[in-house]
Amino acid sequence: MSFVNLNPVGFQNVNITDKFWSSRIETIRNVTAWTCINQCESTHRIDNFRRAAGWQPGGHEGIYFDDSDVYKVLEGAAYVLMGGADKKLEAKVDEIIDAICAAQQEDGYLYTFYILNTPELRWTDMNRHEAYCLGHMVEGALAYVQATGKDKWLKAAVRAVEQMMRVNGPEGQHWVTGHQEIEMALIKLYRYTGEKKYLEYVQWLVEERGHGHLRSESYKGIFGRTDYCQDDLPVRELQRVTGHAVRAMYYYSAVTDLAAILGEQSLDAAMQRLWANVVPANLYLTGGIGQSAHNEGFTRDWSLPNLTAYCETCASIGMAFWNQRMNFTHGESRYADLVEREIYNGILSGISLSGDLFFYDNPLATAGTYHRRSWFGCSCCPTNVIRFIPSVGGYVFATSGEDIYLNQFIQSESVVPTAAGDVGISMRTAYPWEETVEITITRCEGSRTLRVRKPGWCTHARLMQNGAAVEKLSSGYYVCTVREGDTLSYTMEMPVVRVHADERVEEDRERVAVMRGPVVYCAEQVDNPGYAPEYFHAFKNLSKDTELTAAFEPELLGGVVTISGEGIKLVPYYAWDNREPGAMAVWLLEN
């Protein structure tokens, strides 16, 4: 398969103006960022750096990889700052960065667990997440220098990378990253600096896997199995998804990047095989992946339990990362479809509307005993959401030469850089609630090819350009030539749709779920009283004959379209558990 290799359009180029996303980004700025910073303070995650720097007494507190939470919070804060100045937030970030840099050792090493405990054991245990934390530091530092121009943290991150490369590499010892992440980060560093050595190091890390190099004193039981961290086979021989879902997604994201950069068909073929195994045999309707809490990951094909579904928020974010890269590699809409599925369902469910409560796992049914929490011992999910939502504008556009790909429909004013110059695009829409998107080309020298995604969920769509229908479809995109002043009206019909699972999914036989557009719906007990919570997942009121109607309720759950029929009311899955506690179900018995 040929490589299209689209170029991302950064979210800095996309000024989001709709209520749906702009309100959430402001909530991250005003609530979530400070919630996460305060939690990192109260749990001593930041103090670990101060102690490693010798600024205060005390040893390491918390989980060994807690450094990563601090780095992710700062990355999210950087994205917030790219969207608008915030002197108080920037000052706090600078203060934390000072502590991080002061904790760095003379040779560049920076990982507080070993610095404060057993420095002689550095780089001896592949499960201790040194490289994972380093990857998040690199991503955070890159975001911060782009947001503020301040490069102190990035210089420290580069020194730490160089230290790792000296110890673990072709001239040092074998190394398999127990939790992948550094691979994605180093590709970002390569693209930012142009330094090929970082790309070559990613190649080396990828090639290390699957050859028996994994070693760890801390791996026990299932966590010691090589398939748990995708180390069971060399990358080109991988046939199916295994193990920890987040590790898998981060690994596949990096390999997809690598395949595109190198133009290597064998790497791409492996990613295509794995994608075809995830979709649909290991994919929940909400976009969630990872069926089991036991290994935080995959079990067996077509086993998709609802009450015990794990579907870690981080794994949904990882799916968005991977599918965006697959879309960039091949220019096919089916990958952007999955990004959309994650955005409006699997990811958004991970955070409350108030911005200060979080889901780690996201079941598709509950008897009313599971609720969002303010923090977790392992708080990777809250600190991942904080960096994803402010960057959602980066999923809207991509380019290839002079061509523009419109992947996600968010009201915005954008400047899209192409090989022939910048193009201004204004988008007006109340998506995902309304089915119409109005697009105006506000600035363009000459002409450009615009490719507008036709969502996989959409049976009937109509794109009109200056009053004339656009008919050409290629790889799931409507294709048209646009010039300055052109207007396009795009309608994607959004009927209420009943969804039935593949017959191989035993848990969903004789059940039905409901979608409208990209949004998955659920029944909550607060709207549907009369059923005991423990039997709510056996909710029987959705008859095949029940007529379902959609209505926008501006005062409910921040403004949502609800779906109602005789004896039943459904709300968007992402918004559940924001009112009275109670039971919930996505898949309903159909009678």
Side-chain angles (χ1 to χ4, degrees):
M1 182 177 288
S2 61
F3 295 100
V4 175
N5 286 353
L6 306 183
N7 298 306
V9 175
F11 65 88
Q12 310 93 307
N13 293 68
V14 180
N15 179 30
I16 294 175
T17 59
D18 76 334
K19 179 184 177 184
F20 188 96
W21 285 109
S22 61
S23 64
R24 284 169 168 78
I25 293 169
E26 281 306 299
T27 298
I28 296 291
R29 176 189 295 273
N30 297 322
V31 179
T32 315
W34 288 105
T35 294
C36 289
I37 287 172
N38 292 336
Q39 289 283 4
C40 285
E41 287 283 17
S42 64
T43 58
H44 305 290
R45 282 165 165 82
I46 300 172
D47 282 339
N48 285 333
F49 290 100
R50 298 182 181 118
R51 293 167 185 175
W55 291 2
Q56 62 178 233
H60 185 277
E61 292 191 48
I63 303 174
Y64 52 89
F65 53 81
D66 276 353
D67 290 2
S68 64
D69 289 332
V70 179
Y71 299 149
K72 286 190 286 182
V73 171
L74 299 190
E75 182 183 352
Y79 295 154
V80 166
L81 293 174
M82 288 185 199
D86 187 322
K87 292 183 178 179
K88 180 181 177 183
L89 182 60
E90 186 173 345
K92 181 61 178 179
V93 172
D94 284 342
E95 174 196 327
I96 298 169
I97 287 173
D98 285 345
I100 292 170
C101 294
Q104 188 165 34
Q105 305 297 279
E106 287 187 11
D107 64 353
Y109 183 82
L110 181 49
Y111 182 67
T112 63
F113 175 77
Y114 278 139
I115 292 173
L116 290 169
N117 288 332
T118 49
E120 69 278 7
L121 295 181
R122 303 186 319 178
W123 300 118
T124 60
D125 190 327
M126 294 175 180
N127 188 42
R128 284 302 183 191
H129 292 15
E130 287 157 285
Y132 169 77
C133 289
L134 177 53
H136 280 304
M137 177 164 67
V138 170
E139 292 202 78
L142 284 169
Y144 200 62
V145 72
Q146 292 173 74
T148 65
K150 300 173 184 177
D151 65 356
K152 177 179 181 178
W153 190 20
L154 180 59
K155 288 178 178 177
V158 169
R159 286 184 60 215
V161 167
E162 300 283 352
Q163 193 275 336
M164 177 185 176
M165 291 170 64
R166 288 194 300 271
V167 175
N168 312 301
E171 305 302 321
Q173 65 178 350
H174 288 293
W175 195 261
V176 176
T177 54
H179 194 314
Q180 301 91 317
E181 211 288 335
I182 185 70
E183 299 87 347
M184 284 196 302
L186 288 175
I187 288 173
K188 285 187 178 181
L189 186 61
Y190 157 70
R191 285 173 167 155
Y192 181 79
T193 64
E195 292 278 355
K196 195 173 181 180
K197 62 182 177 181
Y198 301 128
L199 179 66
E200 292 171 345
Y201 192 51
V202 175
Q203 289 178 263
W204 181 82
L205 288 170
V206 168
E207 299 292 355
E208 281 286 276
R209 310 189 83 81
H211 299 288
H213 300 316
L214 180 68
R215 66 180 189 279
S216 171
E217 292 298 320
S218 60
Y219 269 112
K220 303 295 180 184
I222 192 171
F223 306 106
R225 287 172 45 175
T226 55
D227 61 353
Y228 175 72
C229 60
Q230 300 77 45
D231 185 51
D232 50 327
L233 290 170
V235 61
R236 293 168 187 81
E237 298 176 22
L238 293 172
Q239 302 293 327
R240 60 181 301 273
V241 293
T242 63
H244 190 281
V246 181
R247 301 180 197 217
M249 292 304 104
Y250 288 2
Y251 181 39
Y252 303 162
S253 295
V255 173
T256 301
D257 271 341
L258 199 60
I261 293 169
L262 301 176
E264 186 171 330
Q265 294 284 351
S266 60
L267 291 177
D268 180 59
M271 295 303 100
Q272 296 278 0
R273 287 194 302 271
L274 293 168
W275 192 90
N277 181 226
V278 174
V279 183
N282 291 278
L283 180 70
Y284 282 91
L285 183 65
T286 57
I289 57 170
Q291 301 97 317
S292 173
H294 180 56
N295 67 341
E296 293 189 308
F298 300 102
T299 55
R300 57 183 174 84
D301 292 354
W302 306 110
S303 174
L304 296 167
N306 295 307
L307 282 165
T308 59
Y310 198 64
C311 298
E312 185 180 338
T313 301
C314 284
S316 290
I317 291 173
M319 270 289 279
F321 290 165
W322 184 31
N323 279 276
Q324 186 191 39
R325 286 162 171 80
M326 292 291 280
N327 174 255
F328 287 170
T329 301
H330 298 295
E332 294 182 10
S333 66
R334 58 178 174 157
Y335 303 116
D337 286 346
L338 263 176
V339 172
E340 180 181 69
R341 180 71 61 97
E342 303 298 343
I343 287 175
Y344 288 104
N345 302 286
I347 294 173
L348 272 190
S349 62
I351 185 170
S352 66
L353 297 177
S354 60
D356 57 356
L357 298 171
F358 310 93
F359 278 144
Y360 195 109
D361 43 325
N362 295 268
L364 277 73
T366 172
T369 57
Y370 184 66
H371 307 290
R372 291 184 183 86
R373 292 166 53 185
S374 59
W375 200 245
F376 305 87
C378 171
S379 268
C380 55
C381 294
T383 55
N384 230 350
V385 170
I386 188 183
R387 70 188 187 126
F388 185 88
I389 289 178
S391 64
V392 72
Y395 294 83
V396 175
F397 295 104
T399 63
S400 176
E402 298 182 13
D403 291 7
I404 300 170
Y405 287 70
L406 175 50
N407 279 324
Q408 307 299 336
F409 308 106
I410 299 176
Q411 181 165 294
S412 53
E413 303 290 335
S414 305
V415 177
V416 179
T418 74
D422 292 348
V423 177
I425 299 178
S426 175
M427 193 158 25
R428 293 286 175 269
T429 183
Y431 197 87
W433 311 129
E434 294 184 6
E435 56 190 25
T436 301
V437 181
E438 301 293 336
I439 304 163
T440 303
I441 308 302
T442 59
R443 173 178 151 202
C444 182
E445 269 191 39
S447 63
R448 300 289 189 282
T449 298
L450 177 65
R451 301 173 186 267
V452 182
R453 178 174 64 94
K454 182 181 183 293
W457 57 259
C458 182
T459 303
H460 299 288
R462 183 176 67 257
L463 179 62
M464 305 293 290
Q465 180 182 6
N466 301 328
V470 176
E471 304 288 353
K472 183 179 179 182
L473 266 172
S474 176
S475 298
Y477 291 86
Y478 284 105
V479 183
C480 58
T481 301
V482 296
R483 294 172 176 80
E484 184 172 320
D486 280 1
T487 60
L488 298 96
S489 181
Y490 189 30
T491 302
M492 295 162 280
E493 293 184 11
M494 290 184 178
V496 177
V497 176
R498 284 174 164 85
V499 181
H500 295 91
D502 188 290
E503 279 298 316
R504 286 168 286 187
V505 183
E506 182 178 353
E507 297 88 350
D508 294 333
R509 289 175 187 165
E510 300 182 358
R511 291 178 181 267
V512 63
V514 175
M515 292 186 68
R516 180 179 180 272
V519 179
V520 175
Y521 280 76
C522 69
E524 274 198 283
Q525 191 173 13
V526 64
D527 300 310
N528 302 278
Y531 286 80
E534 60 267 31
Y535 298 115
F536 197 78
H537 66 283
F539 196 90
K540 291 186 178 181
N541 264 15
L542 192 51
S543 167
K544 293 179 180 179
D545 300 323
T546 300
E547 182 180 353
L548 298 174
T549 58
F552 184 70
E553 298 190 37
E555 303 304 319
L556 179 67
L557 297 167
V560 296
V561 167
T562 60
I563 295 174
S564 301
E566 185 178 354
I568 192 167
K569 181 174 183 177
L570 308 175
V571 297
Y573 170 78
Y574 76 75
W576 80 277
D577 197 46
N578 277 284
R579 296 173 291 167
E580 296 176 23
M584 178 277 297
V586 170
W587 289 97
L588 311 172
L589 283 175
E590 188 175 47
N591 59 355

